[in-house]
């Protein structure tokens, strides 16, 4: 075996709708392996099932991949908002490759490895029902296998509908899956699969095998739902006399009841997660860990770290498979995604976080109509939001949350309930005194010295042993909220003028 062959992998979606989390997992695995091995990541569009096509789906799938940071080296891409094809293997859209498929189907027919089948769907239904009654596995009974070429010719000329079937040979088929190990199947358990449908289009099975060969695909990463079909694909390769790619099936993503995750369980499309404001790094990290175990304690990964930890083609060759990929599926647990997401946001640079958050924030009424920001220049607004994010990023799960839990940063807070200002059993007089003290301390800090660290230091010094006496009412007047970041952080974001205004109003409320 020549393991120095260039690694060429493909993601081959059918354009039937949005890219789902499972599809992104497949694309990501292909991508990580390509990058690990200086290989090529190819995007091929598998649109031979014309009845399932959805307008615009190809664009949406590519956009989701681009958003996630998965770069396409070859195949179908979007450049300057146009779909383009890059590469030297002809078109990468299967519906534009029909001549290739016809040629190879004809080759199999000529060699007696495939045959025309004219059976009506009624006959096939009856056959299936009979087999069910007899508790037999459904299988085509080769009714049309021995039609003479004259009979075939006559039927075709008289306009009878037909398909072309692969004649499964006798014997056994075996291959080594890079996750599931050695797979061996008796050929007589396999059905004579259809290679060409009555609409003249090839089936997925034929088109995939031909294309993986012509596009020189070295490794096929795909969902475990294709595991039962793979022996048939290997037989097809054998029939053509081609070396099959190496197959690596990935365990399906499971829901909390350990069943395959499905669309019925709410949002599973990549664009939904994007629109909910999850960072792409978090989504990639989360799905990378489903069914993959890096075998270290690390749980938070950037794309570069995922590439670094991924097994190379040489590792896989040496170990006869992937050691870090599991046969059992990973559970899609949104609580885990939330945790991973918070960790990524914590690590983000405020400048980057700002860029990610701003499109969501600009949609929000509290931001658009903020009384506090109404007189700010664009630059001042930007600085202000960055301060809010500096404070919020320690606890943020999604970009959509920015500002949501701390509306007092954007709007007036009105009169604050005295109960929110009273520390323990303190009297009104004591509370008022505390606020006056805070007013004095903050009033003496110049605008230049108005940093989070200074505010914390000076207020803690002023509070002495009894922190709550000073800090509790101060936090209350600044925020008017039961929960908020610390008073130092809030005063820092609000700035000197607004903080003193709020303190002054609080003092006044005590008469
Ligand atoms: N078009 C197939 C799908 O969307 C690809 C399967 C494969 O990777 O072979 O599931």
């Amino acid at each position: 075996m020549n393991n120095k062959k260039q690694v060429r992998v493909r993601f081959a979606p059918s354009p039937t709708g949005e890219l789902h989390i499972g599809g992104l997992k497949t694309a990501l695995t292909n991508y990580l392996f390509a990058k690990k091995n200086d290989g090529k990541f190819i995007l091929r569009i598998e649109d031979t099932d014309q009845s399932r096509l959805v307008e615009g789906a190809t664009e949406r799938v590519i956009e989701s991949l681009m958003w996630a940071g998965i770069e396409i080296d070859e195949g179908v891409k979007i450049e300057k908002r146009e779909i383009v094809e890059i590469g030297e293997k002809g078109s990468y859209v299967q519906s534009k490759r029909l001549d290739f498929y016809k040629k190879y189907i004809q080759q199999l027919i000529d060699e007696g490895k495939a045959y025309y089948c004219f059976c009506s769907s009624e006959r096939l239904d009856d056959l299936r029902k009979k087999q069910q009654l007899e508790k037999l596995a459904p299988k085509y009974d080769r009714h049309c296998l021995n039609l003479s070429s004259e009979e075939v010719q006559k039927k075709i000329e008289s306009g009878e509908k037909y398909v072309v079937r692969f004649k499964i040979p006798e014997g056994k088929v075996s291959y080594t899956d890079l996750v599931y190990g050695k797979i061996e199947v008796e050929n007589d358990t396999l059905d004579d699969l259809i290679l060409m449908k009555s609409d003249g289009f090839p089936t997925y099975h034929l088109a995939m095998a031909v294309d993986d060969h012509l596009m020189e695909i070295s490794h096929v990463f795909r969902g475990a739902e294709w595991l039962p079909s793979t022996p048939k694909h290997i037989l097809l390769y054998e029939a053509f006399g081609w070396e099959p790619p190496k197959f690596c099936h990935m365990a399906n993503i499971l829901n909390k009841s350990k069943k395959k995750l499905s669309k019925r369980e709410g949002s599973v499309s990549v664009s939904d997660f994007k629109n909910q404001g999850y960072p792409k790094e978090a989504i990639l990290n989360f799905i990378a860990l489903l069914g993959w175990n890096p075998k270290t304690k690390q749980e938070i990964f950037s794309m570069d770290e995922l590439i670094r930890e991924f097994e190379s083609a040489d590792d896989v060759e040496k170990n006869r498979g992937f050691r870090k990929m599991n046969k059992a599926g990973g559970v899609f647990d949104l609580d885990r995604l939330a945790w991973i997401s918070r960790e990524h946001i914590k690590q983000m640079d405020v400048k980057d976080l700002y860029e990610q958050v701003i499109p969501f924030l600009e949609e929000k009424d509290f931001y658009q109509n903020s009384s506090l920001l109404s007189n700010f220049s664009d630059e001042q607004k930007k600085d202000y939001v960055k301060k809010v994010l500096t404070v919020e990023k320690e606890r943020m799960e999604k970009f959509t949350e920015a500002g949501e839990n701390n509306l007092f940063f954007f709007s007036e807070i009105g009169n604050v309930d005295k109960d929110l200002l009273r520390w323990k059993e303190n009297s009104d007089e004591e509370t008022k005194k505390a606020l006056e003290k805070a007013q004095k301390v903050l009033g003496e800090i110049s605008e230049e010295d108005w940093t989070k660290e200074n505010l914390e230091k000076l207020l803690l010094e002023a509070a002495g042993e009894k922190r709550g006496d000073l800090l509790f009412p101060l936090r209350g007047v600044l925020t008017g909220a039961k929960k908020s970041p610390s008073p130092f952080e809030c005063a820092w974001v609000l700035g000197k003028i607004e903080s003193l205004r709020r303190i002054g109003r609080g003092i006044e409320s005590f008469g």
Side-chain angles (χ1 to χ4, degrees):
M1 227 175 297
N2 174 13
N3 65 3
K4 291 286 166 257
K5 203 159 106 179
Q6 189 189 30
V7 166
R8 289 174 56 84
V9 294
R10 73 344 184 243
F11 177 51
S14 299
T16 54
E18 295 291 330
L19 179 66
H20 290 127
I21 282 294
L24 183 64
K25 164 99 188 150
T26 305
L28 175 66
T29 308
N30 276 292
Y31 181 75
L32 295 175
F33 192 68
K35 291 291 135 188
K36 179 78 190 183
N37 295 289
D38 293 324
K40 292 268 183 273
F41 175 82
I42 294 152
L43 185 79
R44 181 170 78 218
I45 298 298
E46 301 205 329
D47 59 348
T48 57
D49 189 349
Q50 297 280 302
S51 62
R52 290 174 62 229
L53 299 187
V54 172
E55 177 78 21
T58 299
E59 286 87 335
R60 292 212 294 280
V61 167
I62 299 176
E63 277 159 8
S64 287
L65 292 178
M66 286 166 72
W67 172 76
I70 295 182
E71 292 157 30
I72 300 162
D73 296 312
E74 197 176 307
V76 184
K77 294 175 90 165
I78 295 183
E79 279 180 4
K80 301 199 188 103
R81 293 165 183 242
E82 295 273 327
I83 294 211
V84 292
E85 292 192 46
I86 310 277
E88 292 161 5
K89 305 285 180 195
S91 177
Y92 293 77
V93 177
Q94 289 190 325
S95 60
K96 296 187 185 158
R97 300 174 58 81
L98 300 182
D99 289 347
F100 287 115
Y101 311 131
K102 285 207 177 105
K103 174 180 146 201
Y104 286 107
I105 291 169
Q106 193 57 49
Q107 180 185 323
L108 292 182
I109 295 173
D110 293 346
E111 292 173 357
K113 293 172 180 169
Y115 60 96
Y116 292 93
C117 167
F118 297 88
C119 290
S120 65
S121 46
E122 291 77 35
R123 180 175 184 276
L124 294 174
D125 279 349
D126 286 348
L127 177 66
R128 203 170 308 128
K129 280 185 200 139
K130 230 165 74 201
Q131 288 169 333
Q132 256 164 8
L133 279 179
E134 291 168 31
K135 302 229 172 342
L136 296 169
K139 200 173 151 195
Y140 180 58
D141 61 357
R142 296 191 155 173
H143 181 74
C144 294
L145 176 64
N146 295 317
L147 292 176
S148 68
S149 42
E150 291 74 38
E151 283 171 306
V152 166
Q153 205 51 40
K154 238 167 71 198
K155 280 175 181 289
I156 293 178
E157 273 162 20
S158 71
E160 270 192 54
K161 283 194 156 197
Y162 63 88
V163 299
V164 176
R165 287 182 186 269
F166 181 50
K167 184 184 169 199
I168 297 276
E170 286 175 9
K172 265 204 283 228
V173 52
S174 84
Y175 80 100
T176 303
D177 190 275
L178 297 180
V179 171
Y180 290 86
K182 185 162 182 194
I183 309 254
E184 197 169 61
V185 174
E186 296 290 340
N187 293 0
D188 65 7
T189 61
L190 303 173
D191 202 7
D192 281 356
L193 65 148
I194 297 177
L195 302 178
M196 192 178 87
K197 296 172 283 181
S198 55
D199 62 3
F201 277 79
T203 53
Y204 151 72
H205 306 283
L206 183 277
M208 184 258 350
V210 168
D211 284 349
D212 283 348
H213 172 69
L214 295 181
M215 295 178 185
E216 297 179 62
I217 299 303
S218 60
H219 297 76
V220 168
F221 293 87
R222 60 185 178 192
E225 67 273 21
W226 295 109
L227 209 45
S229 302
T230 308
K232 298 182 210 169
H233 299 163
I234 303 274
L235 288 175
L236 263 177
Y237 278 95
E238 287 176 2
F240 284 120
W242 299 334
E243 185 190 338
K246 298 195 173 75
F247 287 94
C248 173
H249 289 89
M250 295 175 292
N252 289 319
I253 301 175
L254 306 175
N255 63 19
K256 281 203 166 165
S257 339
K258 302 265 162 106
K259 300 250 167 58
K260 189 177 169 198
L261 187 71
S262 82
K263 288 185 211 170
R264 264 164 282 141
E265 284 150 87
S267 65
V268 286
S269 81
V270 175
S271 59
D272 280 344
F273 284 96
K274 173 181 171 228
N275 295 338
Q276 283 176 55
Y278 283 103
K280 59 173 188 272
E281 295 81 359
I283 297 175
L284 291 172
N285 187 160
F286 171 62
I287 59 164
L289 291 174
L290 297 173
W292 178 74
N293 183 346
K295 313 248 178 203
T296 62
K297 291 236 161 66
Q298 184 174 355
E299 287 179 279
I300 300 301
F301 294 88
S302 65
M303 183 77 104
D304 285 345
E305 288 171 321
L306 288 174
I307 295 170
R308 198 185 63 212
E309 292 303 320
F310 216 75
E311 286 158 279
S312 69
D314 285 345
D315 294 335
V316 169
E317 190 76 35
K318 198 168 72 217
N319 301 327
R320 307 183 126 255
F322 283 93
R323 288 197 171 162
K324 296 181 181 178
M325 284 209 216
N326 300 338
K327 288 187 191 136
V331 174
F332 190 81
D333 175 358
L334 288 174
D335 293 336
R336 188 155 163 76
L337 171 61
W339 177 78
I340 291 176
S341 191
R342 281 195 294 270
E343 293 301 310
H344 275 276
I345 292 181
K346 255 190 237 173
Q347 287 180 11
M348 275 175 96
D349 198 71
V350 176
K351 209 167 122 252
D352 293 343
L353 182 57
Y354 173 83
E355 299 299 335
Q356 299 291 338
V357 157
I358 202 72
F360 293 105
L361 201 54
E362 276 171 349
E363 297 279 298
K364 303 273 173 78
D365 199 52
F366 71 80
Y367 180 74
Q368 280 174 7
N369 301 315
S370 163
S371 50
L372 251 65
L373 305 188
S374 59
N375 294 324
F376 280 24
S377 67
D378 286 350
E379 214 39 45
Q380 283 171 321
K381 257 193 195 173
K382 191 168 172 180
D383 285 346
Y384 188 85
V385 172
K386 281 191 188 164
K387 283 186 184 165
V388 173
L389 295 176
T390 305
V391 168
E392 289 189 339
K393 88 197 246 288
E394 294 308 307
R395 307 168 195 82
M396 194 188 287
E397 178 188 329
K398 309 175 203 174
F399 301 138
T400 35
E401 286 172 3
E404 285 286 353
N405 298 323
N406 301 311
L407 293 176
F408 50 83
F409 283 143
F410 296 91
S411 43
E412 302 293 339
I413 53 176
N415 284 334
V416 179
D417 185 350
K418 283 194 185 144
D419 281 342
L420 260 185
L421 306 180
R422 184 179 299 111
W423 174 247
K424 293 192 175 161
E425 306 296 315
N426 282 358
S427 64
D428 280 4
E429 195 50 33
E430 285 165 315
T431 307
K432 188 178 173 191
K433 277 229 167 78
L435 289 175
E436 284 168 348
K437 188 169 179 182
Q439 188 180 41
K440 185 162 180 296
V441 175
L442 296 186
E444 283 168 4
I445 304 177
S446 69
E447 294 273 1
E448 297 90 80
D449 291 339
W450 197 265
T451 62
K452 236 175 356 145
E453 296 70 29
N454 265 339
L455 289 165
E456 177 161 6
K457 183 170 149 267
L458 296 171
L459 282 168
L460 284 180
E461 265 170 32
E465 301 274 287
K466 295 175 151 186
R467 288 188 176 187
D469 284 350
L470 180 70
L471 301 182
F472 190 81
L474 174 60
R475 201 201 56 81
V477 286
L478 292 177
T479 68
K482 282 203 176 106
K483 273 172 120 186
S484 74
S486 72
F488 330 113
E489 293 171 301
C490 294
W492 175 63
V493 173
L494 289 167
K496 182 166 177 179
I497 297 174
E498 181 62 17
S499 298
L500 288 175
R501 208 173 65 83
R502 290 187 181 189
I503 298 170
R505 278 240 315 270
I507 295 172
E508 272 166 34
S509 72
F510 287 95

